[in-house]
mmCIF file of all heavy atoms in Angstrom:
data_model
loop_
_atom_site.group_PDB
_atom_site.id
_atom_site.type_symbol
_atom_site.label_atom_id
_atom_site.label_comp_id
_atom_site.label_asym_id
_atom_site.label_seq_id
_atom_site.Cartn_x
_atom_site.Cartn_y
_atom_site.Cartn_z
ATOM 1 N N SER A 1 21.936 163.274 47.713
ATOM 2 C CA SER A 1 22.670 164.457 47.844
ATOM 3 C C SER A 1 21.746 165.599 48.110
ATOM 4 O O SER A 1 20.542 165.466 47.862
ATOM 5 C CB SER A 1 23.587 164.654 46.559
ATOM 6 O OG SER A 1 22.675 164.750 45.428
ATOM 7 N N SER A 2 22.323 166.695 48.490
ATOM 8 C CA SER A 2 21.489 167.904 48.712
ATOM 9 C C SER A 2 21.347 168.792 47.461
ATOM 10 O O SER A 2 20.506 169.690 47.403
ATOM 11 C CB SER A 2 22.108 168.748 49.860
ATOM 12 O OG SER A 2 23.392 169.146 49.569
ATOM 13 N N GLU A 3 22.201 168.533 46.512
ATOM 14 C CA GLU A 3 22.092 169.158 45.293
ATOM 15 C C GLU A 3 22.516 168.258 44.133
ATOM 16 O O GLU A 3 23.168 167.267 44.312
ATOM 17 C CB GLU A 3 23.018 170.420 45.210
ATOM 18 C CG GLU A 3 24.472 170.093 45.417
ATOM 19 C CD GLU A 3 25.344 171.328 45.484
ATOM 20 O OE1 GLU A 3 24.866 172.415 45.985
ATOM 21 O OE2 GLU A 3 26.517 171.266 45.085
ATOM 22 N N PRO A 4 22.089 168.506 42.786
ATOM 23 C CA PRO A 4 22.373 167.555 41.753
ATOM 24 C C PRO A 4 23.864 167.410 41.563
ATOM 25 O O PRO A 4 24.555 168.436 41.601
ATOM 26 C CB PRO A 4 21.681 168.203 40.543
ATOM 27 C CG PRO A 4 20.637 169.045 41.119
ATOM 28 C CD PRO A 4 21.184 169.606 42.432
ATOM 29 N N LEU A 5 24.309 166.200 41.383
ATOM 30 C CA LEU A 5 25.755 165.877 41.154
ATOM 31 C C LEU A 5 25.915 165.216 39.837
ATOM 32 O O LEU A 5 25.107 164.222 39.515
ATOM 33 C CB LEU A 5 26.315 165.036 42.249
ATOM 34 C CG LEU A 5 26.213 165.516 43.678
ATOM 35 C CD1 LEU A 5 26.723 164.511 44.661
ATOM 36 C CD2 LEU A 5 27.079 166.851 43.831
ATOM 37 N N ALA A 6 26.883 165.564 39.007
ATOM 38 C CA ALA A 6 27.027 164.874 37.698
ATOM 39 C C ALA A 6 27.627 163.438 37.944
ATOM 40 O O ALA A 6 27.299 162.617 37.272
ATOM 41 C CB ALA A 6 28.062 165.732 36.939
ATOM 42 N N ASP A 7 28.478 163.356 38.978
ATOM 43 C CA ASP A 7 29.082 162.049 39.348
ATOM 44 C C ASP A 7 29.663 162.197 40.739
ATOM 45 O O ASP A 7 29.594 163.309 41.357
ATOM 46 C CB ASP A 7 30.067 161.538 38.329
ATOM 47 C CG ASP A 7 31.228 162.538 38.152
ATOM 48 O OD1 ASP A 7 31.860 162.964 39.157
ATOM 49 O OD2 ASP A 7 31.508 162.911 36.931
ATOM 50 N N LEU A 8 30.257 161.093 41.232
ATOM 51 C CA LEU A 8 30.821 161.186 42.604
ATOM 52 C C LEU A 8 32.376 161.155 42.649
ATOM 53 O O LEU A 8 32.974 160.985 43.633
ATOM 54 C CB LEU A 8 30.319 159.927 43.331
ATOM 55 C CG LEU A 8 28.838 159.773 43.574
ATOM 56 C CD1 LEU A 8 28.545 158.469 44.310
ATOM 57 C CD2 LEU A 8 28.292 160.984 44.280
ATOM 58 N N ARG A 9 32.933 161.423 41.475
ATOM 59 C CA ARG A 9 34.440 161.496 41.487
ATOM 60 C C ARG A 9 35.001 162.515 42.396
ATOM 61 O O ARG A 9 34.633 163.702 42.301
ATOM 62 C CB ARG A 9 34.873 161.742 40.058
ATOM 63 C CG ARG A 9 34.548 160.702 39.078
ATOM 64 C CD ARG A 9 35.104 160.878 37.699
ATOM 65 N NE ARG A 9 34.717 159.878 36.698
ATOM 66 C CZ ARG A 9 35.317 158.682 36.616
ATOM 67 N NH1 ARG A 9 36.306 158.309 37.397
ATOM 68 N NH2 ARG A 9 34.848 157.745 35.723
ATOM 69 N N GLY A 10 35.842 162.031 43.309
ATOM 70 C CA GLY A 10 36.451 162.952 44.225
ATOM 71 C C GLY A 10 35.533 163.529 45.303
ATOM 72 O O GLY A 10 35.895 164.331 46.131
ATOM 73 N N ARG A 11 34.363 162.996 45.385
ATOM 74 C CA ARG A 11 33.377 163.367 46.360
ATOM 75 C C ARG A 11 33.495 162.646 47.711
ATOM 76 O O ARG A 11 33.970 161.537 47.742
ATOM 77 C CB ARG A 11 31.910 163.225 45.863
ATOM 78 C CG ARG A 11 31.627 163.946 44.510
ATOM 79 C CD ARG A 11 31.432 165.440 44.760
ATOM 80 N NE ARG A 11 30.916 166.138 43.557
ATOM 81 C CZ ARG A 11 30.616 167.403 43.584
ATOM 82 N NH1 ARG A 11 30.640 168.100 44.602
ATOM 83 N NH2 ARG A 11 30.227 167.871 42.413
ATOM 84 N N SER A 12 32.986 163.330 48.792
ATOM 85 C CA SER A 12 32.879 162.621 50.045
ATOM 86 C C SER A 12 31.587 161.983 50.164
ATOM 87 O O SER A 12 30.522 162.628 49.896
ATOM 88 C CB SER A 12 33.175 163.628 51.166
ATOM 89 O OG SER A 12 32.169 164.681 51.210
ATOM 90 N N VAL A 13 31.507 160.700 50.561
ATOM 91 C CA VAL A 13 30.200 159.991 50.671
ATOM 92 C C VAL A 13 30.147 159.287 51.975
ATOM 93 O O VAL A 13 31.071 158.571 52.300
ATOM 94 C CB VAL A 13 30.049 158.932 49.522
ATOM 95 C CG1 VAL A 13 28.738 158.184 49.605
ATOM 96 C CG2 VAL A 13 30.226 159.614 48.170
ATOM 97 N N ALA A 14 29.072 159.570 52.701
ATOM 98 C CA ALA A 14 28.908 158.904 53.996
ATOM 99 C C ALA A 14 28.241 157.525 53.678
ATOM 100 O O ALA A 14 27.289 157.344 52.945
ATOM 101 C CB ALA A 14 27.940 159.710 54.877
ATOM 102 N N VAL A 15 28.796 156.492 54.464
ATOM 103 C CA VAL A 15 28.370 155.089 54.160
ATOM 104 C C VAL A 15 28.032 154.545 55.471
ATOM 105 O O VAL A 15 28.562 154.836 56.547
ATOM 106 C CB VAL A 15 29.367 154.259 53.486
ATOM 107 C CG1 VAL A 15 29.635 154.846 52.059
ATOM 108 C CG2 VAL A 15 30.649 154.140 54.300
ATOM 109 N N PRO A 16 27.042 153.576 55.537
ATOM 110 C CA PRO A 16 26.569 153.002 56.838
ATOM 111 C C PRO A 16 27.360 151.762 57.230
ATOM 112 O O PRO A 16 26.883 150.715 57.575
ATOM 113 C CB PRO A 16 25.125 152.638 56.532
ATOM 114 C CG PRO A 16 25.228 152.266 55.062
ATOM 115 C CD PRO A 16 26.187 153.122 54.424
ATOM 116 N N GLY A 17 28.673 151.883 57.203
ATOM 117 C CA GLY A 17 29.534 150.789 57.690
ATOM 118 C C GLY A 17 30.264 150.114 56.512
ATOM 119 O O GLY A 17 29.750 149.974 55.444
ATOM 120 N N GLY A 18 31.498 149.734 56.792
ATOM 121 C CA GLY A 18 32.360 149.228 55.709
ATOM 122 C C GLY A 18 31.986 147.815 55.294
ATOM 123 O O GLY A 18 32.479 147.347 54.208
ATOM 124 N N LEU A 19 31.136 147.063 56.052
ATOM 125 C CA LEU A 19 30.797 145.700 55.731
ATOM 126 C C LEU A 19 29.397 145.497 55.296
ATOM 127 O O LEU A 19 28.946 144.443 55.118
ATOM 128 C CB LEU A 19 31.201 144.736 56.873
ATOM 129 C CG LEU A 19 32.626 144.473 57.182
ATOM 130 C CD1 LEU A 19 32.827 143.546 58.327
ATOM 131 C CD2 LEU A 19 33.333 143.861 55.912
ATOM 132 N N THR A 20 28.664 146.617 55.072
ATOM 133 C CA THR A 20 27.343 146.461 54.621
ATOM 134 C C THR A 20 27.345 146.134 53.118
ATOM 135 O O THR A 20 28.311 146.472 52.368
ATOM 136 C CB THR A 20 26.555 147.859 54.797
ATOM 137 O OG1 THR A 20 27.266 148.885 54.140
ATOM 138 C CG2 THR A 20 26.463 148.196 56.259
ATOM 139 N N THR A 21 26.328 145.484 52.688
ATOM 140 C CA THR A 21 26.164 145.225 51.243
ATOM 141 C C THR A 21 26.037 146.538 50.414
ATOM 142 O O THR A 21 26.532 146.621 49.265
ATOM 143 C CB THR A 21 24.983 144.269 50.942
ATOM 144 O OG1 THR A 21 25.168 143.093 51.768
ATOM 145 C CG2 THR A 21 24.947 143.890 49.479
ATOM 146 N N ALA A 22 25.415 147.518 51.056
ATOM 147 C CA ALA A 22 25.281 148.807 50.419
ATOM 148 C C ALA A 22 26.730 149.384 50.033
ATOM 149 O O ALA A 22 26.951 149.883 48.923
ATOM 150 C CB ALA A 22 24.596 149.825 51.335
ATOM 151 N N ARG A 23 27.640 149.242 50.972
ATOM 152 C CA ARG A 23 29.009 149.625 50.686
ATOM 153 C C ARG A 23 29.670 148.933 49.645
ATOM 154 O O ARG A 23 30.435 149.467 48.763
ATOM 155 C CB ARG A 23 29.824 149.527 51.992
ATOM 156 C CG ARG A 23 31.359 149.751 51.845
ATOM 157 C CD ARG A 23 31.617 151.258 51.452
ATOM 158 N NE ARG A 23 33.072 151.425 51.336
ATOM 159 C CZ ARG A 23 33.783 151.138 50.232
ATOM 160 N NH1 ARG A 23 33.210 150.562 49.160
ATOM 161 N NH2 ARG A 23 35.135 151.244 50.224
ATOM 162 N N LEU A 24 29.373 147.605 49.527
ATOM 163 C CA LEU A 24 29.931 146.768 48.442
ATOM 164 C C LEU A 24 29.407 147.200 47.128
ATOM 165 O O LEU A 24 30.095 147.328 46.169
ATOM 166 C CB LEU A 24 29.543 145.296 48.774
ATOM 167 C CG LEU A 24 30.200 144.298 47.706
ATOM 168 C CD1 LEU A 24 31.689 144.344 47.743
ATOM 169 C CD2 LEU A 24 29.775 142.871 48.108
ATOM 170 N N LEU A 25 28.060 147.419 47.032
ATOM 171 C CA LEU A 25 27.468 147.885 45.813
ATOM 172 C C LEU A 25 27.971 149.193 45.364
ATOM 173 O O LEU A 25 28.193 149.488 44.127
ATOM 174 C CB LEU A 25 25.921 148.041 46.000
ATOM 175 C CG LEU A 25 25.221 146.698 46.170
ATOM 176 C CD1 LEU A 25 23.763 146.895 46.626
ATOM 177 C CD2 LEU A 25 25.200 145.843 44.867
#
């Protein structure tokens, strides 16, 4: 992130594809 975040609830997160293992994790 560009600034500290307490958590990701309700946040927008860019992901490198819906079938990547990163997305699954």
Side-chain angles (χ1 to χ4, degrees):
S1 59
S2 59
E3 59 184 32
L5 300 174
D7 56 53
L8 298 180
R9 294 183 184 280
R11 301 283 189 173
S12 58
V13 181
V15 298
L19 288 177
T20 59
T21 304
R23 171 64 180 84
L24 184 60
L25 290 168

